[in-house]
Amino acid sequence: MGEYHIIGGRRLCGEVVIGGSKNAALPILAAAALGRRSVIHNCPKISDVECTLEILEILGCDVSYDGRTVVVDARGMASHALPKEQMTKMRSSMLFTGALLSRFGQFSAHNPGGCELGKRPINLHLNAFRSLGAKVTEGEQEFFATADRLEGCKICLDFPSVGATQNIMLAATLTQGVTTIKNAAKEPEIIDLQNFLVAAGAKVTGAGTGTVVIEGVDELRDVEYSVMPDRIVAGTYLAAAAITRGSVRLKNVVHGDIRPIFEKFSEMGAAVTLEEGAICLAAPDRLKGLGYLATNPHPAFPTDMQPQIMALLATARGNCTIDEAVFESRDKHVSELVKMGAQIENCNGSIFHIEGVAQLHGATVYAKDLRGGAALILAGLAAQGKTVVKDAVYVERGYEAMHNDLQALGADIKFISS
Ligand code: UD1
Protein backbone atom coordinates (compact mmCIF):
# COMPACT_ATOMS: atom_id res chain seq x y z
CA MET A 1 0.00 0.00 0.00
CA GLY A 2 1.80 3.17 -1.19
CA GLU A 3 0.86 6.68 -0.24
CA TYR A 4 0.97 10.18 -1.71
CA HIS A 5 2.73 13.01 0.12
CA ILE A 6 1.50 16.39 -1.04
CA ILE A 7 2.48 19.92 -0.07
CA GLY A 8 -0.45 22.03 -1.13
CA GLY A 9 -0.65 25.53 -2.49
CA ARG A 10 1.03 25.36 -5.89
CA ARG A 11 -0.91 26.49 -8.95
CA LEU A 12 -0.91 23.71 -11.55
CA CYS A 13 0.01 24.91 -15.01
CA GLY A 14 0.98 23.14 -18.22
CA GLU A 15 -0.07 20.42 -20.60
CA VAL A 16 -0.96 16.73 -20.21
CA VAL A 17 -1.82 14.13 -22.83
CA ILE A 18 -4.79 12.01 -21.71
CA GLY A 19 -4.32 8.25 -22.03
CA GLY A 20 -6.71 5.40 -22.73
CA SER A 21 -9.92 4.96 -20.78
CA LYS A 22 -10.13 2.39 -18.00
CA ASN A 23 -13.88 1.98 -18.38
CA ALA A 24 -13.55 1.41 -22.12
CA ALA A 25 -10.46 -0.81 -21.96
CA LEU A 26 -11.92 -3.27 -19.42
CA PRO A 27 -15.03 -4.23 -21.47
CA ILE A 28 -12.96 -4.32 -24.67
CA LEU A 29 -10.52 -6.75 -23.01
CA ALA A 30 -13.48 -8.91 -21.94
CA ALA A 31 -14.75 -8.74 -25.54
CA ALA A 32 -11.36 -10.00 -26.70
CA ALA A 33 -12.32 -13.33 -25.10
CA LEU A 34 -15.01 -13.67 -27.78
CA GLY A 35 -12.71 -13.34 -30.70
CA ARG A 36 -9.54 -14.53 -32.34
CA ARG A 37 -6.53 -12.24 -32.14
CA SER A 38 -7.08 -8.73 -30.78
CA VAL A 39 -4.43 -6.03 -30.86
CA ILE A 40 -5.57 -3.30 -28.49
CA HIS A 41 -3.66 -0.01 -28.44
CA ASN A 42 -3.85 2.81 -25.89
CA CYS A 43 -4.56 0.44 -22.98
CA PRO A 44 -3.81 2.28 -19.72
CA LYS A 45 -1.15 0.74 -17.45
CA ILE A 46 -3.31 0.44 -14.35
CA SER A 47 -3.90 -2.36 -11.89
CA ASP A 48 -7.46 -3.10 -13.11
CA VAL A 49 -6.08 -3.77 -16.60
CA GLU A 50 -3.37 -6.04 -15.12
CA CYS A 51 -6.03 -7.97 -13.22
CA THR A 52 -8.16 -8.29 -16.38
CA LEU A 53 -5.18 -9.66 -18.31
CA GLU A 54 -4.65 -12.24 -15.55
CA ILE A 55 -8.24 -13.40 -16.05
CA LEU A 56 -7.68 -13.75 -19.80
CA GLU A 57 -4.53 -15.81 -19.19
CA ILE A 58 -6.25 -18.05 -16.65
CA LEU A 59 -9.04 -18.66 -19.18
CA GLY A 60 -6.39 -19.90 -21.61
CA CYS A 61 -5.73 -16.85 -23.79
CA ASP A 62 -2.26 -15.99 -24.95
CA VAL A 63 -1.62 -12.45 -23.68
CA SER A 64 1.30 -10.11 -24.33
CA TYR A 65 1.82 -6.48 -23.37
CA ASP A 66 4.17 -4.05 -25.08
CA GLY A 67 3.96 -0.55 -23.66
CA ARG A 68 0.31 0.36 -23.94
CA THR A 69 -0.49 -2.21 -26.60
CA VAL A 70 -2.02 -5.50 -25.50
CA VAL A 71 -2.29 -8.53 -27.76
CA VAL A 72 -4.86 -11.15 -26.78
CA ASP A 73 -5.04 -14.39 -28.73
CA ALA A 74 -8.22 -16.10 -27.58
CA ARG A 75 -8.19 -18.96 -30.10
CA GLY A 76 -6.88 -21.49 -27.56
CA MET A 77 -9.23 -20.41 -24.80
CA ALA A 78 -10.88 -23.44 -23.26
CA SER A 79 -11.97 -22.63 -19.70
CA HIS A 80 -15.32 -21.20 -18.73
CA ALA A 81 -14.49 -20.98 -15.01
CA LEU A 82 -13.71 -17.46 -13.82
CA PRO A 83 -11.01 -17.23 -11.14
CA LYS A 84 -12.16 -16.22 -7.65
CA GLU A 85 -9.14 -14.09 -6.70
CA GLN A 86 -9.38 -11.73 -9.68
CA MET A 87 -13.18 -11.71 -9.83
CA THR A 88 -13.54 -10.59 -6.27
CA LYS A 89 -11.19 -7.64 -6.88
CA MET A 90 -13.09 -5.90 -9.67
CA ARG A 91 -16.68 -5.28 -10.58
CA SER A 92 -15.86 -5.24 -14.29
CA SER A 93 -14.85 -8.92 -14.10
CA MET A 94 -18.60 -9.49 -14.41
CA LEU A 95 -18.26 -8.70 -18.12
CA PHE A 96 -16.52 -12.00 -18.71
CA THR A 97 -19.73 -13.84 -17.84
CA GLY A 98 -21.49 -12.49 -20.95
CA ALA A 99 -18.50 -13.28 -23.14
CA LEU A 100 -18.20 -16.85 -21.81
CA LEU A 101 -21.92 -17.48 -22.11
CA SER A 102 -21.86 -16.30 -25.70
CA ARG A 103 -18.80 -18.35 -26.61
CA PHE A 104 -19.28 -21.58 -24.60
CA GLY A 105 -22.94 -21.50 -23.57
CA GLN A 106 -21.82 -21.68 -19.94
CA PHE A 107 -19.73 -20.11 -17.19
CA SER A 108 -19.02 -20.38 -13.48
CA ALA A 109 -18.28 -17.20 -11.56
CA HIS A 110 -17.91 -15.56 -8.14
CA ASN A 111 -19.66 -12.45 -6.91
CA PRO A 112 -17.65 -9.55 -8.35
CA GLY A 113 -15.81 -7.13 -6.07
CA GLY A 114 -14.88 -3.52 -6.81
CA CYS A 115 -15.16 -0.18 -5.09
CA GLU A 116 -17.61 -0.19 -2.18
CA LEU A 117 -20.30 2.23 -3.26
CA GLY A 118 -23.25 0.57 -1.52
CA LYS A 119 -25.22 -2.41 -2.79
CA ARG A 120 -24.17 -3.31 -6.33
CA PRO A 121 -26.51 -6.11 -7.39
CA ILE A 122 -26.08 -8.12 -10.59
CA ASN A 123 -29.78 -8.85 -11.13
CA LEU A 124 -29.98 -6.94 -14.43
CA HIS A 125 -27.11 -9.03 -15.86
CA LEU A 126 -28.49 -12.38 -14.71
CA ASN A 127 -32.09 -11.65 -15.71
CA ALA A 128 -30.88 -10.73 -19.20
CA PHE A 129 -29.01 -14.05 -19.47
CA ARG A 130 -32.21 -15.83 -18.46
CA SER A 131 -34.13 -13.93 -21.16
CA LEU A 132 -31.57 -15.12 -23.71
CA GLY A 133 -32.33 -18.71 -22.67
CA ALA A 134 -29.66 -19.48 -20.05
CA LYS A 135 -30.36 -21.37 -16.85
CA VAL A 136 -28.72 -19.32 -14.11
CA THR A 137 -28.11 -20.76 -10.63
CA GLU A 138 -27.16 -18.43 -7.80
CA GLY A 139 -25.35 -19.49 -4.62
CA GLU A 140 -24.13 -17.38 -1.69
CA GLN A 141 -20.79 -16.43 -3.24
CA GLU A 142 -20.90 -18.05 -6.67
CA PHE A 143 -23.20 -18.32 -9.62
CA PHE A 144 -23.32 -20.48 -12.74
CA ALA A 145 -25.09 -20.51 -16.07
CA THR A 146 -25.65 -23.10 -18.75
CA ALA A 147 -27.60 -22.94 -21.97
CA ASP A 148 -28.42 -25.60 -24.54
CA ARG A 149 -29.30 -22.87 -26.94
CA LEU A 150 -29.31 -19.10 -26.63
CA GLU A 151 -31.55 -16.98 -28.78
CA GLY A 152 -31.75 -13.23 -29.31
CA CYS A 153 -34.66 -11.43 -27.65
CA LYS A 154 -35.81 -8.00 -26.44
CA ILE A 155 -34.46 -6.94 -23.05
CA CYS A 156 -35.71 -3.82 -21.29
CA LEU A 157 -33.44 -2.66 -18.47
CA ASP A 158 -35.07 -1.21 -15.33
CA PHE A 159 -32.07 1.15 -15.06
CA PRO A 160 -29.61 2.08 -17.83
CA SER A 161 -26.77 0.12 -16.20
CA VAL A 162 -23.44 0.51 -17.99
CA GLY A 163 -22.18 -2.94 -17.03
CA ALA A 164 -25.44 -4.73 -17.83
CA THR A 165 -25.67 -3.03 -21.25
CA GLN A 166 -22.10 -4.08 -22.07
CA ASN A 167 -22.57 -7.60 -20.72
CA ILE A 168 -25.68 -8.14 -22.83
CA MET A 169 -23.83 -6.82 -25.90
CA LEU A 170 -21.13 -9.44 -25.26
CA ALA A 171 -23.60 -12.24 -24.52
CA ALA A 172 -25.55 -11.49 -27.72
CA THR A 173 -22.58 -11.15 -30.09
CA LEU A 174 -22.28 -14.88 -30.87
CA THR A 175 -25.93 -15.67 -30.08
CA GLN A 176 -28.34 -16.57 -32.87
CA GLY A 177 -30.98 -14.01 -33.75
CA VAL A 178 -31.45 -10.36 -32.88
CA THR A 179 -31.14 -8.98 -29.35
CA THR A 180 -32.55 -5.53 -28.63
CA ILE A 181 -31.59 -3.71 -25.43
CA LYS A 182 -34.10 -1.04 -24.42
CA ASN A 183 -33.24 1.65 -21.85
CA ALA A 184 -29.59 0.90 -22.60
CA ALA A 185 -26.86 3.01 -21.00
CA LYS A 186 -25.62 5.78 -23.33
CA GLU A 187 -22.11 6.28 -21.94
CA PRO A 188 -19.32 6.92 -24.49
CA GLU A 189 -17.63 3.70 -23.37
CA ILE A 190 -20.63 1.74 -24.73
CA ILE A 191 -19.93 3.31 -28.14
CA ASP A 192 -16.27 2.33 -27.85
CA LEU A 193 -17.25 -1.27 -27.10
CA GLN A 194 -19.59 -1.27 -30.11
CA ASN A 195 -16.80 0.12 -32.31
CA PHE A 196 -14.43 -2.62 -31.16
CA LEU A 197 -17.01 -5.37 -31.69
CA VAL A 198 -17.94 -4.07 -35.15
CA ALA A 199 -14.25 -3.89 -36.12
CA ALA A 200 -14.02 -7.55 -35.05
CA GLY A 201 -16.95 -8.51 -37.29
CA ALA A 202 -19.90 -8.27 -34.88
CA LYS A 203 -23.19 -6.67 -35.93
CA VAL A 204 -24.04 -4.05 -33.32
CA THR A 205 -25.83 -0.72 -33.82
CA GLY A 206 -27.38 1.98 -31.66
CA ALA A 207 -24.70 2.43 -28.97
CA GLY A 208 -24.95 5.90 -27.50
CA THR A 209 -28.75 5.82 -27.78
CA GLY A 210 -31.25 4.13 -25.50
CA THR A 211 -31.68 1.20 -27.91
CA VAL A 212 -28.80 -1.11 -28.82
CA VAL A 213 -29.38 -3.87 -31.36
CA ILE A 214 -27.11 -6.90 -31.73
CA GLU A 215 -27.52 -9.37 -34.55
CA GLY A 216 -25.66 -12.55 -33.66
CA VAL A 217 -22.79 -13.74 -35.87
CA ASP A 218 -21.10 -17.16 -35.97
CA GLU A 219 -17.60 -15.93 -35.25
CA LEU A 220 -15.40 -12.86 -34.98
CA ARG A 221 -12.22 -12.06 -36.88
CA ASP A 222 -8.80 -10.66 -35.97
CA VAL A 223 -8.99 -7.02 -34.95
CA GLU A 224 -6.74 -4.05 -34.22
CA TYR A 225 -8.23 -1.22 -32.18
CA SER A 226 -7.28 1.85 -30.15
CA VAL A 227 -9.10 2.59 -26.88
CA MET A 228 -10.79 6.00 -26.47
CA PRO A 229 -9.29 8.63 -24.13
CA ASP A 230 -10.29 8.56 -20.47
CA ARG A 231 -12.91 11.25 -19.85
CA ILE A 232 -12.75 10.82 -16.07
CA VAL A 233 -8.96 11.25 -15.95
CA ALA A 234 -9.44 14.38 -18.10
CA GLY A 235 -12.13 15.63 -15.72
CA THR A 236 -9.88 14.96 -12.72
CA TYR A 237 -7.00 16.98 -14.23
CA LEU A 238 -9.33 19.85 -15.13
CA ALA A 239 -10.43 19.72 -11.49
CA ALA A 240 -6.76 19.79 -10.36
CA ALA A 241 -6.24 23.04 -12.28
CA ALA A 242 -9.52 24.46 -11.04
CA ILE A 243 -8.85 23.77 -7.35
CA THR A 244 -5.30 25.20 -7.47
CA ARG A 245 -6.23 28.40 -9.36
CA GLY A 246 -4.14 27.04 -12.19
CA SER A 247 -4.34 26.71 -15.93
CA VAL A 248 -4.00 23.50 -17.97
CA ARG A 249 -4.27 22.29 -21.52
CA LEU A 250 -5.29 18.65 -21.97
CA LYS A 251 -4.60 16.93 -25.27
CA ASN A 252 -6.41 13.89 -26.63
CA VAL A 253 -9.91 14.58 -25.36
CA VAL A 254 -13.32 14.23 -27.02
CA HIS A 255 -15.27 17.42 -26.27
CA GLY A 256 -18.72 15.82 -26.40
CA ASP A 257 -17.69 13.13 -23.90
CA ILE A 258 -16.44 15.60 -21.29
CA ARG A 259 -19.00 18.36 -21.89
CA PRO A 260 -21.15 17.38 -18.85
CA ILE A 261 -18.01 17.82 -16.72
CA PHE A 262 -16.49 21.02 -18.09
CA GLU A 263 -19.87 22.77 -18.23
CA LYS A 264 -19.99 22.51 -14.43
CA PHE A 265 -16.47 23.94 -14.10
CA SER A 266 -17.54 26.83 -16.37
CA GLU A 267 -20.57 27.44 -14.15
CA MET A 268 -18.17 27.57 -11.20
CA GLY A 269 -16.31 30.42 -12.89
CA ALA A 270 -13.46 28.66 -14.73
CA ALA A 271 -12.63 29.83 -18.27
CA VAL A 272 -12.88 26.82 -20.57
CA THR A 273 -11.67 26.94 -24.18
CA LEU A 274 -12.07 24.15 -26.69
CA GLU A 275 -9.41 23.49 -29.32
CA GLU A 276 -9.23 20.69 -31.82
CA GLY A 277 -8.74 17.49 -29.77
CA ALA A 278 -7.81 19.56 -26.71
CA ILE A 279 -9.31 21.58 -23.87
CA CYS A 280 -7.90 24.45 -21.82
CA LEU A 281 -9.08 25.52 -18.39
CA ALA A 282 -7.99 28.63 -16.51
CA ALA A 283 -9.31 28.97 -12.99
CA PRO A 284 -10.33 32.14 -11.16
CA ASP A 285 -8.90 32.98 -7.71
CA ARG A 286 -11.93 31.39 -6.11
CA LEU A 287 -14.55 29.12 -7.66
CA LYS A 288 -18.27 29.66 -7.12
CA GLY A 289 -20.57 27.05 -5.55
CA LEU A 290 -23.18 25.44 -7.79
CA GLY A 291 -26.27 25.55 -5.57
CA TYR A 292 -27.35 22.07 -6.65
CA LEU A 293 -25.75 19.20 -8.57
CA ALA A 294 -27.10 15.71 -9.27
CA THR A 295 -25.18 12.80 -10.70
CA ASN A 296 -27.04 10.66 -13.23
CA PRO A 297 -26.37 8.40 -16.21
CA HIS A 298 -24.77 9.99 -19.29
CA PRO A 299 -25.25 12.65 -20.63
CA ALA A 300 -25.78 14.01 -17.10
CA PHE A 301 -22.93 14.77 -14.68
CA PRO A 302 -21.08 11.47 -14.08
CA THR A 303 -21.01 9.80 -10.69
CA ASP A 304 -17.32 9.03 -11.32
CA MET A 305 -16.63 12.78 -10.95
CA GLN A 306 -18.79 13.31 -7.84
CA PRO A 307 -15.99 12.97 -5.25
CA GLN A 308 -13.65 15.23 -7.26
CA ILE A 309 -16.21 18.03 -7.73
CA MET A 310 -17.08 17.71 -4.05
CA ALA A 311 -13.44 18.57 -3.24
CA LEU A 312 -13.74 21.65 -5.48
CA LEU A 313 -17.05 22.70 -3.97
CA ALA A 314 -15.51 22.34 -0.50
CA THR A 315 -13.26 25.33 -1.28
CA ALA A 316 -15.68 27.31 -3.48
CA ARG A 317 -17.49 30.48 -2.45
CA GLY A 318 -21.07 29.65 -1.43
CA ASN A 319 -22.75 26.33 -1.04
CA CYS A 320 -23.96 23.32 -2.97
CA THR A 321 -26.20 20.34 -2.45
CA ILE A 322 -25.00 17.19 -4.21
CA ASP A 323 -27.50 14.46 -4.96
CA GLU A 324 -25.63 11.21 -5.71
CA ALA A 325 -28.38 9.51 -7.66
CA VAL A 326 -26.48 6.55 -9.18
CA PHE A 327 -24.90 4.77 -6.22
CA GLU A 328 -26.43 4.13 -2.83
CA SER A 329 -23.42 5.17 -0.75
CA ARG A 330 -20.64 6.77 -2.72
CA ASP A 331 -19.49 8.76 0.28
CA LYS A 332 -16.30 7.27 1.74
CA HIS A 333 -14.38 10.45 0.85
CA VAL A 334 -16.68 12.73 2.84
CA SER A 335 -15.28 12.01 6.32
CA GLU A 336 -11.73 12.34 4.95
CA LEU A 337 -12.45 15.74 3.36
CA VAL A 338 -13.95 16.84 6.68
CA LYS A 339 -10.62 15.94 8.38
CA MET A 340 -9.06 18.53 6.04
CA GLY A 341 -11.46 21.24 7.19
CA ALA A 342 -14.27 20.79 4.65
CA GLN A 343 -17.79 21.54 5.84
CA ILE A 344 -19.91 18.74 4.41
CA GLU A 345 -23.04 17.33 5.93
CA ASN A 346 -24.82 14.16 4.88
CA CYS A 347 -28.44 15.38 4.81
CA ASN A 348 -30.28 12.25 3.87
CA GLY A 349 -29.04 9.06 2.22
CA SER A 350 -27.00 10.19 -0.75
CA ILE A 351 -27.65 13.93 -0.43
CA PHE A 352 -24.79 16.10 0.80
CA HIS A 353 -24.70 19.77 1.71
CA ILE A 354 -21.36 21.51 1.21
CA GLU A 355 -20.56 24.93 2.61
CA GLY A 356 -17.42 26.18 0.88
CA VAL A 357 -14.50 27.23 3.14
CA ALA A 358 -11.73 29.65 2.16
CA GLN A 359 -8.93 27.18 2.87
CA LEU A 360 -8.50 23.45 3.56
CA HIS A 361 -5.62 22.26 5.73
CA GLY A 362 -3.32 19.28 5.29
CA ALA A 363 -4.06 16.02 7.14
CA THR A 364 -3.43 12.29 6.96
CA VAL A 365 -6.37 10.80 5.10
CA TYR A 366 -7.28 7.40 3.65
CA ALA A 367 -8.32 6.61 0.09
CA LYS A 368 -11.16 4.11 0.38
CA ASP A 369 -12.09 3.86 -3.29
CA LEU A 370 -10.74 4.97 -6.66
CA ARG A 371 -12.45 8.31 -7.34
CA GLY A 372 -12.69 9.19 -3.66
CA GLY A 373 -8.90 8.76 -3.49
CA ALA A 374 -8.50 11.14 -6.44
CA ALA A 375 -10.68 13.69 -4.63
CA LEU A 376 -8.38 13.57 -1.59
CA ILE A 377 -5.35 14.23 -3.81
CA LEU A 378 -7.15 17.26 -5.29
CA ALA A 379 -7.95 18.53 -1.81
CA GLY A 380 -4.30 18.00 -0.81
CA LEU A 381 -3.10 20.06 -3.80
CA ALA A 382 -5.18 23.01 -2.58
CA ALA A 383 -4.70 22.58 1.18
CA GLN A 384 -2.33 24.53 3.37
CA GLY A 385 0.55 22.34 4.56
CA LYS A 386 1.17 18.64 4.10
CA THR A 387 -1.40 16.00 3.21
CA VAL A 388 -0.69 12.29 3.22
CA VAL A 389 -3.15 10.21 1.20
CA LYS A 390 -2.78 6.61 2.36
CA ASP A 391 -3.80 3.46 0.47
CA ALA A 392 -2.79 4.67 -2.98
CA VAL A 393 -3.62 1.19 -4.26
CA TYR A 394 -7.20 2.36 -4.83
CA VAL A 395 -6.06 5.29 -6.96
CA GLU A 396 -3.73 3.05 -8.97
CA ARG A 397 -6.73 1.01 -10.09
CA GLY A 398 -7.74 3.75 -12.48
CA TYR A 399 -5.02 6.42 -12.81
CA GLU A 400 -1.73 5.66 -14.51
CA ALA A 401 1.02 7.24 -12.36
CA MET A 402 -1.16 10.24 -11.56
CA HIS A 403 1.63 11.75 -9.44
CA ASN A 404 3.90 11.99 -12.52
CA ASP A 405 1.28 13.97 -14.46
CA LEU A 406 0.64 16.25 -11.49
CA GLN A 407 4.38 16.77 -10.92
CA ALA A 408 4.72 17.74 -14.58
CA LEU A 409 2.04 20.38 -13.96
CA GLY A 410 4.08 21.74 -11.04
CA ALA A 411 2.52 19.96 -8.06
CA ASP A 412 4.62 19.07 -5.03
CA ILE A 413 3.51 15.44 -4.80
CA LYS A 414 5.53 12.31 -4.14
CA PHE A 415 4.49 8.70 -4.36
CA ILE A 416 6.01 6.69 -1.50
CA SER A 417 5.77 2.95 -2.03
CA SER A 418 5.67 0.69 0.99
C1 UD1 B 1 -19.74 1.47 -14.48
C2 UD1 B 1 -18.35 2.04 -14.34
C3 UD1 B 1 -18.25 2.88 -13.07
C4 UD1 B 1 -19.36 3.94 -13.05
C5 UD1 B 1 -20.72 3.32 -13.31
C6 UD1 B 1 -21.83 4.34 -13.47
C7 UD1 B 1 -16.89 0.44 -15.42
C8 UD1 B 1 -15.85 -0.60 -15.28
N1 UD1 B 1 -17.40 0.96 -14.29
O1 UD1 B 1 -19.96 0.63 -13.35
O2 UD1 B 1 -16.97 3.50 -13.04
O3 UD1 B 1 -19.37 4.57 -11.78
O4 UD1 B 1 -20.69 2.53 -14.52
O5 UD1 B 1 -21.51 5.24 -14.48
O6 UD1 B 1 -17.25 0.84 -16.51
N2 UD1 B 1 -27.44 -1.92 -10.82
C9 UD1 B 1 -28.42 -2.79 -10.39
N3 UD1 B 1 -28.42 -4.06 -10.90
C10 UD1 B 1 -27.52 -4.49 -11.82
C11 UD1 B 1 -26.53 -3.58 -12.26
C12 UD1 B 1 -26.51 -2.29 -11.74
O7 UD1 B 1 -29.25 -2.44 -9.57
O8 UD1 B 1 -27.57 -5.65 -12.23
C13 UD1 B 1 -27.39 -0.56 -10.25
C14 UD1 B 1 -26.10 -0.33 -9.42
O9 UD1 B 1 -26.22 -0.85 -8.13
C15 UD1 B 1 -25.96 1.17 -9.45
C16 UD1 B 1 -26.53 1.53 -10.84
O10 UD1 B 1 -27.26 0.40 -11.27
O11 UD1 B 1 -26.75 1.75 -8.45
C17 UD1 B 1 -25.46 1.87 -11.85
O12 UD1 B 1 -24.58 0.79 -11.99
P1 UD1 B 1 -23.90 0.44 -13.39
O13 UD1 B 1 -24.28 1.45 -14.41
O14 UD1 B 1 -24.18 -0.99 -13.67
O15 UD1 B 1 -22.36 0.62 -13.03
P2 UD1 B 1 -21.17 -0.39 -13.34
O16 UD1 B 1 -21.34 -0.95 -14.70
O17 UD1 B 1 -20.97 -1.28 -12.19
Side-chain angles (χ1 to χ4, degrees):
M1 289 275 195
E3 55 195 44
Y4 299 99
H5 290 206
I6 306 161
I7 309 290
R10 295 217 188 158
R11 286 178 196 246
L12 297 202
C13 295
E15 190 171 277
V16 178
V17 180
I18 301 299
S21 157
K22 160 186 168 290
N23 285 356
L26 301 179
I28 286 172
L29 288 169
L34 285 172
R36 290 161 54 90
R37 187 170 180 275
S38 305
V39 179
I40 304 162
H41 302 292
N42 207 28
C43 238
K45 285 185 150 185
I46 51 175
S47 58
D48 273 14
V49 164
E50 278 166 26
C51 187
T52 304
L53 297 180
E54 283 170 24
I55 296 179
L56 284 163
E57 279 182 335
I58 291 166
L59 292 175
C61 298
D62 198 5
V63 177
S64 57
Y65 209 134
D66 181 10
R68 287 172 189 78
T69 295
V70 174
V71 181
V72 180
D73 191 335
R75 280 172 293 190
M77 194 172 121
S79 172
H80 43 79
L82 286 162
K84 181 173 181 184
E85 186 192 330
Q86 287 77 6
M87 245 206 122
T88 49
K89 274 190 195 160
M90 279 185 321
R91 171 83 179 180
S92 66
S93 59
M94 190 62 200
L95 299 175
F96 281 98
T97 60
L100 291 175
L101 187 65
S102 195
R103 182 154 172 184
F104 296 118
Q106 57 181 321
F107 66 77
S108 68
H110 302 264
N111 289 344
C115 288
E116 282 181 31
L117 313 173
K119 277 202 291 296
R120 295 180 79 176
I122 52 173
N123 58 319
L124 299 176
H125 302 245
L126 301 189
N127 289 342
F129 295 162
R130 290 184 178 106
S131 301
L132 289 167
K135 181 171 181 295
V136 182
T137 312
E138 293 177 75
E140 279 281 295
Q141 310 287 332
E142 297 148 292
F143 56 102
F144 315 89
T146 53
D148 293 335
R149 185 165 181 274
L150 295 170
E151 189 159 353
C153 64
K154 184 168 158 188
I155 296 164
C156 188
L157 294 174
D158 292 340
F159 182 89
S161 153
V162 174
T165 302
Q166 292 167 335
N167 216 355
I168 300 166
M169 288 163 74
L170 299 180
T173 290
L174 301 178
T175 290
Q176 275 193 3
V178 176
T179 301
T180 305
I181 312 171
K182 289 276 180 192
N183 198 25
K186 299 175 187 161
E187 269 66 6
E189 293 77 13
I190 309 273
I191 303 178
D192 216 37
L193 177 60
Q194 171 176 289
N195 290 343
F196 172 82
L197 288 169
V198 168
K203 292 188 177 161
V204 189
T205 54
T209 76
T211 304
V212 177
V213 180
I214 309 104
E215 190 184 332
V217 296
D218 289 338
E219 58 176 8
L220 297 184
R221 55 176 180 251
D222 292 353
V223 58
E224 186 162 355
Y225 193 77
S226 189
V227 174
M228 65 178 272
D230 196 310
R231 64 193 169 102
I232 304 301
V233 171
T236 304
Y237 290 170
L238 292 178
I243 203 169
T244 61
R245 298 172 293 136
S247 154
V248 291
R249 180 167 188 269
L250 305 182
K251 280 164 69 173
N252 196 28
V253 296
V254 179
H255 299 148
D257 293 352
I258 56 172
R259 183 170 297 281
I261 302 171
F262 71 70
E263 279 182 348
K264 290 298 163 195
F265 296 154
S266 296
E267 270 181 57
M268 293 175 79
V272 174
T273 326
L274 302 181
E275 296 172 2
E276 195 169 335
I279 183 169
C280 303
L281 181 145
D285 274 346
R286 188 145 182 221
L287 297 163
K288 294 182 286 204
L290 282 170
Y292 175 82
L293 171 76
T295 66
N296 263 308
H298 192 76
F301 188 81
T303 174
D304 281 353
M305 280 297 298
Q306 179 261 103
Q308 300 92 315
I309 203 163
M310 188 183 281
L312 261 61
L313 289 162
T315 62
R317 181 177 287 115
N319 59 49
C320 186
T321 298
I322 292 186
D323 181 355
E324 168 53 63
V326 178
F327 287 107
E328 187 186 54
S329 44
R330 188 165 212 168
D331 56 12
K332 306 276 185 301
H333 48 289
V334 173
S335 57
E336 303 304 293
L337 289 172
V338 168
K339 283 186 198 165
M340 300 177 73
Q343 286 189 19
I344 307 172
E345 204 185 319
N346 185 346
C347 306
N348 168 22
S350 287
I351 299 183
F352 303 90
H353 184 76
I354 302 136
E355 205 61 57
V357 296
Q359 181 73 64
L360 296 174
H361 56 77
T364 296
V365 288
Y366 288 80
K368 295 175 185 173
D369 59 51
L370 165 59
R371 307 301 172 187
L376 300 179
I377 291 175
L378 296 178
L381 294 172
Q384 194 163 43
K386 180 169 178 175
T387 296
V388 176
V389 180
K390 299 247 184 204
D391 297 347
V393 68
Y394 290 105
V395 178
E396 292 173 315
R397 293 186 56 175
Y399 293 90
E400 184 180 322
M402 187 189 201
H403 52 286
N404 288 344
D405 286 337
L406 294 175
Q407 274 167 10
L409 293 174
D412 185 343
I413 178 170
K414 288 191 192 79
F415 176 73
I416 313 284
S417 57
S418 55

